[in-house]
Amino acid sequence: MTPVISATGLWTPPHTVTNEELVESFNAWADRWNAEHEADIAAGKVEAKTHSSTEFIEKASGIKSRYVVDKSGVVDPALMRPVIPERTNEDISILAEIAIKAANQALERAGRDPKDVDAVICAASNMQRAYPAMAIEVQEALGIDGFSFDMNVACSSATFGIQTAADFVRAGHAKSVLMVNPEITSGHLNWTDRDSHFIFGDVATAVLVEDISIAPKDHWKILGTHLKTKFSNNIRNNFGFLNRADPSGEGQPDKLFVQEGRKVFKEVVPMVSAMIQSELGRLDIRAEDLRRLWLHQANANMNRLISSKVLGHEASDDESPTVLDEYANTSSAGSIIAFHKHSDDFKPGEKGLICSFGAGYSAGTVFVEKAA
Ligand code: COA
């Protein structure tokens, strides 16, 4: 059995929040907070909140805008969080709903009837509940007969999901595996944290991994995958059943996304560059044979450094496309959005790399080649 990528899918939320809108609401929130805490600030008990700036955000991250499933709440200085009403158990969950939108596009592109899919993996950073698995909900809604489960490897979830799907195909446990990455990152972002309020955006992606015997002619060979994890406290989210959060996030910032951004930058760039280089060696691929790198979309400067180390020169937009400006960091979905949007021009035999990295630390590489 030989696993290949048959198709990908992308669903983009309808609402955008530009840096200007984001900074305006953040600064209004900071002003309110400072007014409410005027006495404590004057007494030196707490520090006043400082304004955010669009110039800083764009320069530090390359992000200009982001998509969100709810705009009203995240730009409301009185709320600073998305308003996503809880649904009844009879209604499909929002995570499954957006995953299906991306999945349908992948299935359609591959010409695959969902009845011929054997398994669903929902690989994402933040599941909205413990069980039943969102993947099983997707399976049920699409009428798939098989097995499904959720997995979470933070921003690396998609590459870990692709390798898992490929292993199922190799082992003969499935011929067609649908791997989805619904990311409502707006729910775990602390919109009142100046250091990180600009980082994330919402989206959903899907990748159909299948045995070559049933894949469409226009597929992607998987030349090799590699996964790596190494413990780090520098990106954390402590939310859980044993330590729940106050929905406002106020006073409990560790129950939302927190990071030591500088340390992440310094430690993850060498880890990922070395991993890509060692995989190139193992797979006997020369860096100059890579037509494109579809890197995780966390930070434009990080991607510039990683691609320079791998390619030996500053990468052009064509060699290492970015979707960060439009989508921001969409966690596990970032490298898949880049692949989905920037791969139609590939000719048979051309090679590229899908690579993700993030909390854990975790990192994954998937080297692909466009089939004839
Ligand atoms: N607006 C204006 N100024 C800001 C600001 C904001 N929103 N946030 C921080 N600053 C200020 C800081 O206060 C600091 O000021 P100081 O020098 O006077 O102390 C200065 O800008 C630099 O802050 P720093 O946090 O060191 O910025 P940075 O250049 O490291 O960029 C990140 C921050 C998060 C963009 C960057 O570290 C990064 O991308 N790291 C990788 C993390 C990542 O990708 N994580 C996702 C997990 S996959």
Side-chain angles (χ1 to χ4, degrees):
M1 300 287 188
T2 307
V4 302
I5 293 177
S6 288
T8 55
L10 167 68
W11 176 77
T12 302
H15 311 289
T16 54
V17 179
T18 64
N19 285 350
E20 288 71 22
E21 291 170 309
L22 181 81
V23 167
E24 192 186 323
S25 60
F26 179 90
N27 291 350
W29 169 83
D31 291 343
R32 274 171 179 237
W33 193 93
N34 289 343
E36 278 164 26
H37 297 82
E38 201 178 356
D40 284 347
I41 294 168
K45 287 187 194 159
V46 291
E47 267 189 44
K49 302 287 181 194
T50 325
H51 278 188
S52 182
S53 99
T54 53
E55 295 73 30
F56 170 84
I57 294 170
E58 195 174 334
K59 191 161 164 281
S61 68
I63 297 164
K64 295 181 184 164
S65 187
R66 71 280 299 138
Y67 294 97
V68 287
V69 294
D70 170 66
K71 179 168 179 169
S72 63
V74 301
V75 297
D76 180 349
L79 281 177
M80 302 297 273
R81 62 173 188 275
V83 179
I84 303 172
E86 242 183 271
R87 298 181 178 186
T88 69
N89 290 355
E90 281 63 49
D91 294 323
I92 190 158
S93 67
I94 185 164
L95 223 62
E97 180 180 291
I98 69 170
I100 288 167
K101 288 180 181 177
N104 278 334
Q105 192 185 40
L107 293 166
E108 201 176 297
R109 283 177 152 217
R112 177 72 53 236
D113 184 333
K115 288 184 180 54
D116 298 324
V117 174
D118 306 307
V120 180
I121 300 173
C122 178
S125 272
N126 288 270
M127 303 301 166
Q128 71 181 86
R129 62 167 184 263
Y131 43 79
M134 258 59 68
I136 304 178
E137 214 182 345
V138 171
Q139 175 193 344
E140 176 77 6
L142 292 177
I144 293 168
D145 181 20
F147 66 94
S148 307
F149 59 92
D150 295 344
M151 59 183 271
N152 177 354
V153 199
C155 289
S156 301
S157 297
T159 51
F160 278 62
I162 292 172
Q163 177 169 311
T164 306
D167 286 344
F168 283 144
V169 173
R170 266 185 216 110
H173 295 310
K175 272 194 163 176
S176 176
V177 184
L178 178 63
M179 198 276 302
V180 289
N181 322 105
E183 289 287 9
I184 303 192
T185 63
S186 57
H188 70 94
L189 176 58
N190 185 348
W191 296 84
T192 66
D193 175 30
R194 177 172 170 264
D195 288 351
S196 65
H197 75 117
F198 54 87
I199 288 184
F200 288 109
D202 301 338
V203 82
T205 51
V207 180
L208 192 63
V209 177
E210 302 190 310
D211 184 52
I212 196 165
S213 65
I214 62 161
K217 203 168 142 264
D218 187 25
H219 61 260
W220 295 82
K221 295 181 194 171
I222 298 175
L223 302 175
T225 59
H226 190 70
L227 310 178
K228 190 171 172 61
T229 49
K230 184 178 179 352
F231 184 75
S232 167
N233 263 325
N234 291 331
I235 317 173
R236 269 195 94 103
N237 185 336
N238 284 337
F239 180 76
F241 313 107
L242 304 183
N243 41 9
R244 288 162 211 218
D246 161 359
S248 75
E250 183 105 41
Q252 295 181 302
D254 73 310
K255 306 300 184 299
L256 294 167
F257 168 87
V258 276
Q259 73 165 351
E260 295 274 354
R262 282 266 153 134
K263 288 188 189 160
V264 173
F265 201 116
K266 265 179 68 181
E267 292 169 7
V268 170
V269 169
M271 174 181 159
V272 172
S273 314
M275 180 174 164
I276 296 173
Q277 277 158 339
S278 116
E279 269 302 277
L280 282 170
R282 187 179 74 84
L283 297 169
D284 202 16
I285 300 172
R286 294 175 312 161
E288 51 270 38
D289 292 337
L290 290 177
R291 163 101 159 76
R292 193 163 290 158
L293 310 176
W294 300 280
L295 298 180
H296 172 46
Q297 304 282 314
N299 176 288
N301 298 323
M302 244 172 136
N303 285 9
R304 196 171 43 77
L305 273 177
I306 293 172
S307 50
S308 302
K309 283 198 176 168
V310 172
L311 300 177
H313 61 264
E314 182 102 358
S316 64
D317 285 349
D318 186 65
E319 288 171 314
S320 177
T322 180
V323 300
L324 263 171
D325 50 348
E326 181 184 348
Y327 282 86
N329 181 345
T330 49
S331 199
S332 66
S335 57
I336 306 300
I337 306 174
F339 177 59
H340 178 87
K341 286 179 93 91
H342 298 281
S343 54
D344 284 349
D345 57 341
F346 262 56
K347 297 187 186 67
E350 286 184 332
K351 299 181 179 67
L353 164 68
I354 301 169
C355 175
S356 62
F357 40 88
Y361 295 136
S362 57
T365 54
V366 179
F367 284 88
V368 294
E369 180 184 316
K370 184 81 192 176

